[in-house]
Amino acid sequence: MIIDGKAIALDVRTKIHEEIRAIQAKSADFKPSLTIIQVGARADSTTYVKMKLKAAEEAAIACNIINLPESATEFELLNHVQKLNESVDVDGILVQLPLPAHIDEAKVTSAVLPDKDVDGFGPFNVGELSKKNGEPTFLPCTPKGIMELLARYNVQIDGANAVVLGRSDIVGKPVASLLTKANATVTTLHSKTPQAQLELFLSQADIVVAAIGQPAFVKGEWLKEGSVVIDVGTNFVDDATKKSGSRMVGDIDFESASTKAALITPVPGGVGPMTVASLLENVVIAAKKHHVKNNATPKFTNPLKLNLVKPVPSDFEISRAQQPKKIDQVAYESGILDSELELFGSYKAKVGLHLLERLKNKKNGKYVLVTGITPTPLGEGKSTTTVGLAQALGAHLNKNVFANVRQPSMGPTFGIKGGAAGGGYSQVIPMDEFNMHVTGDIHAITMANNLLAAAIDTRMFHESTQKDGPLYKRLVPAKKGTRSFSPSMLRRLAKLGINKTDPDSLTPEEITQFARLDIDPETITWRRVVDCNDRFLRGITVGEAATEKGFTRKTGFDITVASECMAILALANSLEDMRERLGNMVIASSKAGVPITAEDIGCAGALTALLKDAIKPNIMQTLEGTPVFVHAGPFANISIGASSILADKMALKLAGTSPDLSEEERKEQEGYVVTEAGFDFTMGGERFINIKCRSSGLVPDVIVIVATVRALKVHGGGAEVKAGAPLAAEYTQENVEFLRAGCANLAKHISNAKSYGLPVVVAINKMSSDTDREHDVIREEALKAGAADAIVSNHWEEGGLGAVDLARGVIEAANSDDKHFKFLYDTAPSVEEKIATIAREMYGAGEVEFSPEAQKKIDTYTKQGFGNLPICIAKTQYSLSHDAALKGVPTGFKFPIRDVRASIGAGYLYALAAEIQTIPGLPTHCGFMNVEVNKDGEIDGLF
């Protein structure tokens, strides 16, 4: 009987097509894709490629061919393979063999990622196939096709005598492994086997697979009566009757063998079509795996164990005692691909933005915003709660979870405040790497900011020393006899309404318009920055050198995280969005009152180039091995004080679920993203929602408000708390009177948060001096104020284990239907109205008082078209009001606005209600005094 490979292959391809259609009926984005690379133009290779292309089209598999010339180098080929490895649009990669002699086939096949190696030739798949209990992702196509033929014709393999003639890595060795796994007794023969032995083994074989590459080599008289013969040979012999002058024959002498064999494959029409069908099956397997990878939410199942010690050691000692996972393992467990990861040493990495494209169809996970009550100078543990809650969700409840935090500035690190890695047994690790440099994003912000500052002063200098004609010629110089506008210059021309692209075609009036920015020095708002606390840079004079010809100007420095570039990094939704925002930054006005932007200076493209890597979020881990995105660090006083939108969007997709799931399935599988807003809810939370959420389009599912007994006692009338000073008795002993009075502050924050239509959970951050009765009072008052729950959490002392109850409460609230989200204000009302709404509704003010300077700025910004932006109000974090001395819940006070400034690129105006130092100073005893590097190159003395 003839084994009809064509018919079986057609059936396989038909079923593949049906399977693809069935999956696409549920998931339209399921589109299996194969890319074939062919080097050179061998006739047989071209024929095979055409066969594969046709079969792929019939099975509804997208197939792309990359044709490289015979002269292509190994490097060029490997570069193509690498790009295909990284492409989310490619499921399978096939390098058509044989390759030219100057290219190492083994190196090329090894370069294909195992999950795209649909040929099954890579070291992973070959190695797994050869192991006793190996699990290759893909079987080599021809051996896989052979096994399918045997199965379709009900050939008994278990216990059979099988001979494989040939020992190639493509057919002979793998088919022998598959037959052995199917419990056949397998003998491998080859071209060097003596003829007598060859005939002897063949005469005893129940199954013969011939893949020796010699036409009609095996004779019928050598075969056992009733044997099953699989002919893999593809040899061409002369045949004058054929138009081509040759015909294809196998390794078996078909005419004589067919009289002895019970089953035999013809050539052509036997194994060949099954090889192609098996390839397509492998592509669909790859596509399904990728589809699952791109839609499934992995459970977190690999926590790091904590060795809890009491009393709790220093943060630094705890961090140093824990051995972190390698960051590529953390990324893998989170669902991040190797191609999306850029390693920076062993414990931190950047994640490429193309991850968002790969996961674009997933439904977001749950979004948890952690804020706090009005704090004391000691801090109430928002960062620690953020990390502890994430550890509880991941390491103890097995949820896919991300903690998203800001990158700390090294100014406070070396000053007095310390880092922002959390604390106790709820930290980001390694904490020394977290608090120093990370991957250099803050340095990139510094460079970008200062490049623009230098460009501003330089432009004013050159405009002051040149007439319009020479200035224009130097701005647009001829290169090799040709003048052309840069992309940034074309944007400025468009802004001016000049629709010309030839620099020589501008009129004298247009040249003046284009070349002369005419910046008013008194209106310059852009300052230089440094990531260091340095009070002596708050006010400086630039241009003192003789070369600047007397063009001096008073200015100053800010700390890097106060730069608008940092705010843009946090608020950008893409690289393109960041480019537009950087160009839109207003740095001054012209003497005619026209706003001057970074685009006008011609600097925006260069700023983007400096920040093209900084825009990629950084991934680290917690003490219990759950993933953390560390990205952006906008100054919390004059900016949003939250981590980046892009980190949130990535985490929400990684923690998200397939769109095909039912609501119950989604609830069970979805993960959580825990992110933090700086200061209390009234500052950080309000900005997070009204500025960050407006830009991102994201909305929190639940708001967590962190409260401590200590802070609430302060608001209830307790003595002042100062950093470094001993605590008064009411803070170390039970005092329900102060506590209950202070809970009014908590109630106000709950009320403020609920005004956005979102559920609120209070996290009572436990301290050693607290009593159960005090915790009960907080819970009672929180529930009375409308919180969904108030839960004691001991994550500082116990890590994630101490926050499990909090995590369960957050899960319940996040899945609540009690959500009616709304912003606090629309952006259409006037600047004054928006400021008044925030001051009245969030702070409790009776009225707002605008200084003449503030009103003048508001009028200017409104005239310039910036009046419809959201508002960020800079004030003290130690009171709901503008006055740090007003504790509890002050009401009816007059709220002063002394100045208003613009962050047009970031997309908001910020109003100053207090004197905010944008570059802190150093204390007498500085943090840097304790820092050393030991003989092992490790940093000691941090906190």
Side-chain angles (χ1 to χ4, degrees):
M1 184 185 292
I2 301 296
I3 296 177
D4 191 347
K6 277 188 178 180
I8 297 172
L10 176 60
D11 183 55
V12 170
R13 295 199 306 272
T14 301
K15 287 180 177 176
I16 288 172
H17 195 174
E18 290 172 353
E19 182 180 18
I20 292 172
R21 283 193 299 184
I23 297 173
Q24 287 177 339
K26 292 182 65 178
S27 303
D29 60 313
F30 181 74
K31 297 174 182 177
S33 168
L34 169 68
T35 296
I36 301 172
I37 305 177
Q38 181 182 355
V39 183
R42 281 178 52 130
D44 56 346
S45 289
T46 300
T47 300
Y48 298 145
V49 168
K50 287 180 179 178
M51 286 171 52
K52 293 165 184 172
L53 178 59
K54 182 181 178 184
E57 289 174 347
E58 289 174 356
I61 293 174
C63 190
N64 179 43
I65 310 295
I66 297 176
N67 291 113
L68 300 178
E70 182 88 14
S71 59
T73 65
E74 183 176 277
F75 176 79
E76 289 176 294
L77 176 54
L78 289 171
N79 191 44
H80 277 284
V81 170
Q82 181 62 29
K83 288 179 180 178
L84 295 174
N85 280 339
E86 294 176 358
S87 173
V88 296
D89 297 322
V90 176
D91 294 306
I93 303 170
L94 187 153
V95 180
Q96 183 64 43
L97 304 179
L99 293 171
H102 66 279
I103 296 177
D104 185 339
E105 284 189 1
K107 185 182 290 187
V108 173
T109 54
S110 296
V112 178
L113 284 178
D115 68 331
K116 296 190 178 187
D117 175 30
V118 290
D119 246 347
F121 292 164
F124 173 82
N125 288 312
V126 170
E128 287 297 303
L129 180 58
S130 65
K131 288 161 59 175
K132 181 179 179 181
N133 295 311
E135 295 183 4
T137 305
F138 304 107
L139 297 175
C141 299
T142 300
K144 179 178 180 177
I146 291 169
M147 298 303 288
E148 179 69 15
L149 290 176
L150 294 174
R152 290 292 186 108
Y153 279 83
N154 299 313
V155 175
Q156 177 70 29
I157 301 176
D158 195 333
N161 237 346
V163 167
V164 177
L165 186 56
R167 52 182 173 178
S168 72
D169 291 331
I170 296 173
V171 179
K173 290 179 182 177
V175 82
S177 293
L178 289 173
L179 288 167
T180 301
K181 286 177 183 288
N183 298 319
T185 301
V186 182
T187 304
T188 300
L189 308 177
H190 46 80
S191 59
K192 302 299 182 182
T193 304
Q195 185 72 24
Q197 288 189 37
L198 188 146
E199 292 182 24
L200 174 63
F201 283 113
L202 286 173
S203 69
Q204 299 172 353
D206 302 308
I207 300 170
V208 175
V209 179
I212 201 168
Q214 297 184 31
F217 178 76
V218 178
K219 310 304 179 187
E221 54 267 28
W222 302 350
L223 300 174
K224 178 182 177 180
E225 188 75 35
S227 58
V228 177
V229 178
I230 306 295
D231 192 347
V232 188
T234 52
N235 310 288
F236 290 88
V237 297
D238 294 338
D239 187 341
T241 66
K242 300 292 184 181
K243 185 177 180 181
S244 63
S246 65
R247 62 186 172 89
M248 183 188 291
V249 298
D251 293 349
I252 306 288
D253 179 28
F254 183 82
E255 191 171 337
S256 63
S258 60
T259 64
K260 296 284 289 287
L263 292 168
I264 188 169
T265 57
V267 177
V271 173
M274 285 303 299
T275 298
V276 177
S278 297
L279 170 66
L280 301 183
E281 274 192 319
N282 281 351
V283 174
V284 174
I285 289 170
K288 288 193 292 186
K289 285 180 178 291
H290 293 152
H291 187 66
V292 169
K293 182 78 172 176
N294 296 342
N295 287 279
T297 305
K299 285 181 177 282
F300 184 82
T301 58
N302 187 30
L304 295 175
K305 184 179 178 181
L306 288 180
N307 179 28
L308 300 175
V309 176
K310 293 184 180 180
V312 177
S314 71
D315 292 351
F316 182 66
E317 289 173 306
I318 293 171
S319 175
R320 180 66 61 82
Q322 182 66 293
Q323 176 58 53
K325 303 175 195 176
K326 293 295 179 69
I327 199 62
D328 55 352
Q329 182 183 352
V330 176
Y332 173 79
E333 292 168 359
S334 307
I336 299 169
L337 305 181
D338 284 346
S339 59
E340 294 161 347
L341 203 64
E342 300 173 18
L343 298 177
F344 278 72
S346 298
Y347 305 119
K348 56 186 185 248
K350 282 196 165 291
V351 181
L353 302 188
H354 50 292
L355 175 144
L356 289 170
E357 176 63 23
R358 175 172 67 88
L359 303 180
K360 64 183 178 182
N361 293 308
K362 287 182 74 173
K363 286 189 173 290
N364 287 345
K366 293 298 185 185
Y367 199 23
V368 181
L369 172 61
V370 177
T371 66
I373 62 169
T374 307
T376 69
L378 303 180
E380 309 317 309
K382 287 194 311 301
S383 298
T384 307
T385 302
T386 298
V387 176
L389 175 56
Q391 290 179 165
L393 287 163
H396 298 272
L397 298 181
N398 303 125
K399 297 291 186 182
N400 189 336
V401 64
F402 278 83
N404 284 10
V405 299
R406 286 184 292 168
Q407 178 180 344
S409 164
M410 285 192 292
T413 296
F414 289 130
I416 192 170
K417 183 176 181 293
Y425 286 102
S426 295
Q427 303 184 47
V428 182
I429 59 170
M431 65 96 74
D432 50 346
E433 293 189 29
F434 176 84
N435 284 297
M436 299 179 70
H437 302 293
V438 189
T439 59
D441 294 347
I442 291 181
H443 302 308
I445 293 287
T446 302
M447 185 61 205
N449 184 101
N450 292 347
L451 173 63
L452 180 55
I456 293 166
D457 287 317
T458 297
R459 185 60 174 264
M460 289 194 298
F461 174 83
H462 289 304
E463 285 190 27
S464 300
T465 56
Q466 300 176 63
K467 293 183 178 179
D468 293 354
L471 176 64
Y472 180 61
K473 285 184 179 180
R474 288 184 173 90
L475 281 172
V476 194
K479 294 183 179 178
K480 297 182 179 179
T482 303
R483 300 175 75 195
S484 61
F485 291 120
S486 69
S488 193
M489 291 176 176
L490 291 171
R491 288 173 181 245
R492 172 158 172 77
L493 287 167
K495 174 182 174 180
L496 295 171
I498 301 172
N499 187 26
K500 294 180 180 180
T501 57
D502 179 4
D504 294 325
S505 66
L506 268 63
T507 65
E509 292 78 13
E510 289 170 339
I511 286 173
T512 298
Q513 264 188 296
F514 172 81
R516 198 160 292 282
L517 301 180
D518 202 23
I519 295 171
D520 180 354
E522 296 300 317
T523 66
I524 295 173
T525 56
W526 200 260
R527 291 153 60 97
R528 288 163 174 82
V529 298
V530 62
D531 191 34
C532 181
N533 288 5
D534 193 344
R535 66 189 311 120
F536 291 96
L537 292 179
R538 290 171 179 167
I540 63 167
T541 302
V542 294
E544 291 286 0
T547 52
E548 310 321 308
K549 303 179 181 179
F551 290 99
T552 60
R553 182 172 70 85
K554 290 189 178 296
T555 180
F557 273 75
D558 295 329
I559 197 162
T560 298
V561 292
S563 169
E564 187 177 352
C565 293
M566 179 60 88
I568 286 173
L569 187 72
L571 291 168
N573 286 277
S574 65
L575 182 64
E576 294 78 13
D577 184 32
M578 183 176 74
R579 167 65 178 80
E580 290 302 312
R581 287 171 178 269
L582 290 171
N584 291 337
M585 292 188 301
V586 172
I587 54 88
S589 295
S590 70
K591 290 172 183 174
V594 177
I596 305 298
T597 66
E599 198 74 77
D600 294 321
I601 301 284
C603 216
L607 302 184
T608 308
L610 286 167
L611 299 179
K612 73 176 183 64
D613 291 318
I615 197 174
K616 302 169 188 173
N618 309 295
I619 185 170
M620 294 184 73
Q621 65 191 291
T622 68
L623 276 166
E624 296 190 61
T626 59
V628 179
F629 273 134
V630 181
H631 198 219
F635 204 55
N637 293 94
I638 63 168
S639 188
I640 63 166
S643 62
S644 77
I645 284 173
L646 282 169
D648 287 357
K649 286 188 170 182
M650 280 189 179
L652 286 166
K653 289 300 181 188
L654 287 163
T657 52
S658 167
D660 307 329
L661 299 180
S662 67
E663 283 305 312
E664 280 304 309
E665 289 172 326
R666 178 169 296 112
K667 184 176 178 181
E668 170 60 27
Q669 294 181 28
E670 68 190 346
Y672 290 77
V673 177
V674 185
T675 191
E676 177 190 353
F679 297 146
D680 61 4
F681 178 84
T682 297
M683 291 179 69
E686 182 271 313
R687 297 169 190 172
F688 185 99
I689 293 173
N690 290 305
I691 298 177
K692 184 177 178 180
C693 290
R694 266 198 170 93
S695 177
S696 68
L698 302 171
V699 177
D701 292 286
V702 60
I703 296 170
V704 176
I705 297 178
V706 180
T708 61
V709 170
R710 176 182 64 202
L712 290 173
K713 287 178 178 177
V714 168
H715 292 291
E720 185 178 1
V721 171
K722 294 181 179 180
L727 290 171
E730 58 263 33
Y731 301 115
T732 57
Q733 301 169 14
E734 185 177 283
N735 189 312
V736 173
E737 180 185 355
F738 280 163
L739 178 63
R740 194 176 292 277
C743 281
N745 183 272
L746 171 60
K748 174 59 175 170
H749 283 291
I750 293 170
S751 172
N752 282 353
K754 284 184 66 66
S755 70
Y756 294 90
L758 300 173
V760 175
V761 172
V762 174
I764 304 170
N765 187 13
K766 181 179 179 181
M767 296 183 178
S768 58
S769 57
D770 297 354
T771 68
D772 291 342
R773 186 177 174 213
E774 289 175 327
H775 291 161
D776 290 341
V777 167
I778 297 174
R779 176 174 168 76
E780 178 188 333
E781 295 295 331
L783 294 178
K784 189 189 301 182
D789 209 341
I791 302 166
V792 177
S793 186
N794 193 23
H795 43 274
W796 181 81
E797 192 171 43
E798 297 179 354
L801 180 64
V804 168
D805 289 343
L806 175 62
R808 289 198 175 107
V810 166
I811 289 172
E812 184 175 347
N815 286 284
S816 164
D817 294 328
D818 185 23
K819 295 173 190 172
H820 311 282
F821 177 75
K822 60 179 181 178
F823 291 112
L824 178 65
Y825 54 83
D826 293 327
T827 56
S830 68
V831 174
E832 294 93 333
E833 287 178 85
K834 286 179 285 196
I835 291 173
T837 297
I838 297 170
R840 183 176 60 252
E841 301 298 327
M842 293 288 102
Y843 310 154
E847 62 177 301
V848 177
E849 180 181 64
F850 295 93
S851 72
E853 174 68 16
Q855 191 62 57
K856 180 181 176 183
K857 292 277 191 71
I858 290 171
D859 294 341
T860 298
Y861 294 140
T862 302
K863 182 180 178 182
Q864 291 176 338
F866 304 137
N868 62 345
L869 293 176
I871 305 295
C872 173
I873 297 181
K875 71 174 191 70
T876 179
Q877 66 267 38
Y878 298 125
S879 170
L880 286 167
S881 73
H882 62 287
D883 183 352
L886 297 178
K887 303 300 182 185
V889 187
T891 58
F893 53 87
K894 184 179 291 185
F895 191 77
I897 299 295
R898 65 176 185 82
D899 196 7
V900 177
R901 298 175 187 171
S903 289
I904 305 304
Y908 57 81
L909 301 178
Y910 64 94
L912 280 74
E915 185 66 43
I916 302 297
Q917 293 295 347
T918 51
I919 183 166
L922 290 169
T924 305
H925 181 87
C926 304
F928 64 74
M929 294 176 178
N930 304 318
V931 176
E932 292 289 348
V933 177
N934 64 30
K935 59 184 177 60
D936 297 320
E938 298 169 329
I939 299 171
D940 290 331
L942 285 171
F943 326 118

